[in-house]
Structures are given as C-alpha cells and as structure tokens.
Amino acid sequence: MVNKLISTVLLGSALASPVALAATDCHVIYDAGSSGTRLYIYEQQAGSWLSHEGPKVGALADPVRGVRGKTWQDAPAVTEEVVAALEAVRKDGPLKGGKPEWQAFDWKQQCHLQSASVLATAGMRIAEQENRERANQLWEMLAARLSKEVGAGVKVDTRTLTGFEEGLYAWLALRDKQSSNHYGIAEMGGASAQVTFPCDDCDNSHNAVRTVLVKGQPVKMYSYSFLGLGQDEAPKTLTAKAAVPADCAYNVGATQSGWKPSACGEEIHLSDSEGLKDPYNFADGKQGTHNQPPVAQQGPKQWFLTGAFAYMQPTDIASCCEDGAQYFNQASSCFSSVYRVKYLDTLQVPDTADKADVSWTAGANICGATGCLSEAKSAPICRWSDQGCL
C-alpha cells in the first residue's frame, strides 16, 4: 500500500512538473538594434526550431551614445531592463488591441537553457565608435548581470555582430523556407544596410567573402554591411546639409508644383566613381570608404528584400511626398521612400523583388547550432573601428 502510494505521488509530481517532461534545448538571443532590444527564445522541437518572441525594451546603445534622453548614468538601468525581459516573458505581456503583446513562455520550466546571447547591430557599432571605453564597460556589465540571471552552465555571449554576420544570419533565417541556396537578400535597417548572396566566383581575397556551412555543405558567401546607409542615418550621411532636404520633405508635392521623385533623388548623394559610399566604416585608418558589391556580375537571379524593404509599397512615394498620408517617422518618410528605391537601383537589385519578413536572430540560432562559421578561417572584421574588435 505504501509503495503504491509513493508511486502515485511520484507520478503525480512528474505530470505536474514540466521540468520532468522537458527534454528540449533552448537558446536565448536578444536583437539589440538601434531602436530597441527584442528578446527571442528558440526552442528545439523535432529537428526544427520554435520561436518565442518576448518584450521589446530600450536600445542598448542609447546610454553610450547619450541619445533618446539617456545618459551614461542610465547604463545600469538599461542593462537591468534588458535582463528583466527574461523574467517578463514567463508571463503574458500586457494587452494591446485585445491581445497580449507577447505569449508567455516559462523557459525555466519548459526547456533546458543552453545559451544566452545579446547581439548588437549597427546602433552599437556607432556607439563603439563614439565611446569605445564606455561600450566595453556596458558589455562587461551586461555579461555579468546576464550570467547571474541564467545561472551556471549556460553559455553567455554579449557583443556586437560584424556586418558579415548580420547579413549572413538574415540570409540563413530565410534559407529554411527555400529549396536551394540560389538567392540573395538586400536588407535595410535604421543605421546600416546589408547585401548577402552566395558567390562561387568571388575573389577569396575580398574580406567580405567567407566560406560557411549551409545545411552541412560549404558555401562561399558574400556579405557586406554599409554603416550609415540605414534609412535613419542616410539623411545625415548622404545629403549636403546632413538633414532631410527641402525637396525630400514630407508632403513636398503639395507645396511644390510639378514636383517629381527625381528632385529628391538628386539630393541623395549615394555613390560616385568609386562605388557606393560607406560613410561610417573605416579603411586604411580613415573613416569613410566605398564598396561596390558584385551584384550585376556575380549575383544570383533571385532576390529577397528584408528589413525595412519588406514593408515597402509601390504607393509609398506618392503617399508620403504628395498625398500627405500618415506614415511612420513622418518627417523623414518622403526621403526614406525615395531613398530605398534609389539604393536598390544603385545596388542593381530590383525593387520589385519578393519581400521576406525574417529575423536575423533565427539565422544566428541556426548558425550557432550548426557551427556555420567553423569553415571561416580568417578572424572577424569589425570595420566600424580603426582599433579592431572589442
């Protein structure tokens, strides 16, 4: 009778405890972007990955850069806010439009956490340019706090992605939905723009070319990030007065008779005889360089538009420049609408290409799980710094 009772209690405990049944691995990846930091948790299920999206909190770079009302004194609070998202995701988010902002996922009970990464993109690249010492302190502070939160035995990684990685991870995120490798992506962010595609004939000496493993097979990839060509930074880096020109102002067509998109396009100085401008990256110890990805010569026939490009509509220019429609980032919306089309035309990627809404964090998770960069023999290149990677 006692043995039967013990067995019943143990069985009841096993059924009540998700830990007893869980055998799946999970990986935490934060997308620390220029406008905010988003939490993702990837759960392994039957050979694939299930994504759990969590809260979006403040941009990690803000206290380093002193922007959006933050100062360096806010660094501990911003760090705490990022880590606190891990606790917040264990419960449903607040209601928005009648639905929770995120669905609860209790990672402490539902899976075995293997790693936790905070990976930053272009906003932190600029922050590291502006104040390398403070950026380094922030990373150390975050690593210590995150390690404490997830506990011993969980691998923690806090750093800024290289441009090669950012483009590659977005490409890999899309690869699971494609039947082959024969496509490229053009991605637009707030501070940078990436172009990535397989390139068998690319010169191995070019530092944007690396061999990576894709589904276990070596593939030579071209991946480059233009720092300063993101749609939020472009008005500062590509115009004569480092601001939205009058010919690119919101609803300009309502006040300028005969206005045409070309009037705005002529104010955007995107390229010259040396290629596309790369305003913030370094070359030969000097900030500001050029690069012309070999899209026309060696690029694939099929392209996908990701990032901000994924939300482009053929009516954007008319809506923002002539019709006065309400739009995201309204003051710069006409400029951005014209700029996105001009950038793709200069890159020689069709603006009519298929769109794909993907998160590069999914590709980062795939890469980590498969060792995709194990074939890349050379060291990472942090073009945004003349002092190398932190």
Side-chain angles (χ1 to χ4, degrees), residues 164-284:
F164 182 92
E165 288 175 297
E166 185 175 2
L168 172 66
Y169 293 162
W171 188 93
L172 285 173
L174 187 57
R175 177 63 180 86
D176 270 359
K177 304 174 184 179
Q178 303 302 311
S179 59
S180 75
N181 299 332
H182 305 308
Y183 66 92
I185 64 165
E187 181 177 43
M188 176 67 68
S192 66
Q194 289 70 239
V195 56
T196 304
F197 56 93
C199 193
D200 291 339
D201 298 327
C202 276
D203 185 350
N204 286 326
S205 65
H206 196 296
N207 60 22
V209 178
R210 277 180 165 78
T211 297
V212 303
L213 294 178
V214 179
K215 295 186 178 294
Q217 298 301 312
V219 177
K220 190 190 293 187
M221 298 290 298
Y222 180 99
S223 184
Y224 194 91
S225 177
F226 293 89
L227 186 57
L229 294 193
Q231 61 182 7
D232 296 338
E233 292 294 320
K236 308 172 193 175
T237 60
L238 300 177
T239 63
K241 295 183 179 180
V244 173
D247 284 332
C248 302
Y250 170 71
N251 205 24
V252 61
T255 58
Q256 287 191 23
S257 178
W259 179 88
K260 295 182 179 179
S262 58
C264 175
E266 289 170 0
E267 299 291 333
I268 303 173
H269 308 298
L270 179 58
S271 64
D272 55 30
S273 60
E274 296 182 68
L276 269 74
K277 295 179 180 179
D278 190 2
Y280 292 157
N281 279 327
F282 281 83
D284 301 322

Side-chain angles (χ1 to χ4, degrees), residues 11-326:
L11 177 60
S13 298
L15 291 174
S17 172
V19 173
L21 300 177
T24 59
D25 290 341
C26 283
H27 299 272
V28 163
I29 301 180
Y30 286 87
D31 173 359
S34 57
S35 62
T37 305
R38 174 72 76 181
L39 169 66
Y40 294 88
I41 303 176
Y42 291 94
E43 179 187 10
Q44 192 169 31
Q45 285 195 346
S48 61
W49 295 96
L50 181 62
S51 173
H52 304 275
E53 187 172 328
K56 184 176 182 179
V57 297
L60 198 59
D62 285 357
V64 179
R65 300 185 66 190
V67 297
R68 279 190 280 266
K70 301 295 184 183
T71 68
W72 178 238
Q73 283 65 43
D74 294 307
V78 170
T79 298
E80 187 63 33
E81 184 183 31
V82 169
V83 175
L86 274 173
E87 184 62 30
V89 78
R90 297 177 66 195
K91 298 180 181 179
D92 282 346
L95 293 179
K96 186 175 182 180
K99 295 182 179 180
E101 287 191 43
W102 64 84
Q103 296 289 331
F105 181 67
D106 191 347
W107 54 273
K108 287 187 176 180
Q109 298 295 325
Q110 293 177 250
C111 64
H112 300 307
L113 187 61
Q114 301 295 307
S115 69
S117 303
V118 181
L119 303 176
T121 53
M124 187 56 81
R125 291 179 200 137
I126 296 173
E128 290 183 8
Q129 284 185 345
E130 294 175 353
N131 199 317
R132 185 179 177 90
E133 182 179 348
R134 282 184 175 175
N136 193 46
Q137 289 179 42
L138 184 71
W139 283 129
E140 291 178 349
M141 188 188 311
L142 181 60
R145 181 64 187 86
L146 185 59
S147 295
K148 182 179 179 181
E149 180 70 17
V150 299
V154 178
K155 181 182 178 182
V156 170
D157 187 17
T158 60
R159 64 185 178 89
T160 301
L161 292 178
T162 65
F164 182 92
E165 288 175 297
E166 185 175 2
L168 172 66
Y169 293 162
W171 188 93
L172 285 173
L174 187 57
R175 177 63 180 86
D176 270 359
K177 304 174 184 179
Q178 303 302 311
S179 59
S180 75
N181 299 332
H182 305 308
Y183 66 92
I185 64 165
E187 181 177 43
M188 176 67 68
S192 66
Q194 289 70 239
V195 56
T196 304
F197 56 93
C199 193
D200 291 339
D201 298 327
C202 276
D203 185 350
N204 286 326
S205 65
H206 196 296
N207 60 22
V209 178
R210 277 180 165 78
T211 297
V212 303
L213 294 178
V214 179
K215 295 186 178 294
Q217 298 301 312
V219 177
K220 190 190 293 187
M221 298 290 298
Y222 180 99
S223 184
Y224 194 91
S225 177
F226 293 89
L227 186 57
L229 294 193
Q231 61 182 7
D232 296 338
E233 292 294 320
K236 308 172 193 175
T237 60
L238 300 177
T239 63
K241 295 183 179 180
V244 173
D247 284 332
C248 302
Y250 170 71
N251 205 24
V252 61
T255 58
Q256 287 191 23
S257 178
W259 179 88
K260 295 182 179 179
S262 58
C264 175
E266 289 170 0
E267 299 291 333
I268 303 173
H269 308 298
L270 179 58
S271 64
D272 55 30
S273 60
E274 296 182 68
L276 269 74
K277 295 179 180 179
D278 190 2
Y280 292 157
N281 279 327
F282 281 83
D284 301 322
K286 295 181 180 180
Q287 189 177 34
T289 182
H290 294 77
N291 186 45
Q292 189 63 51
V295 170
Q297 303 88 351
Q298 294 155 326
K301 293 181 179 179
Q302 185 178 20
W303 285 87
F304 288 92
L305 306 179
T306 65
F309 287 137
Y311 305 100
M312 281 174 46
Q313 297 295 328
T315 56
D316 284 348
I317 293 177
S319 296
C320 301
C321 304
E322 300 175 276
D323 298 339
Q326 295 297 312

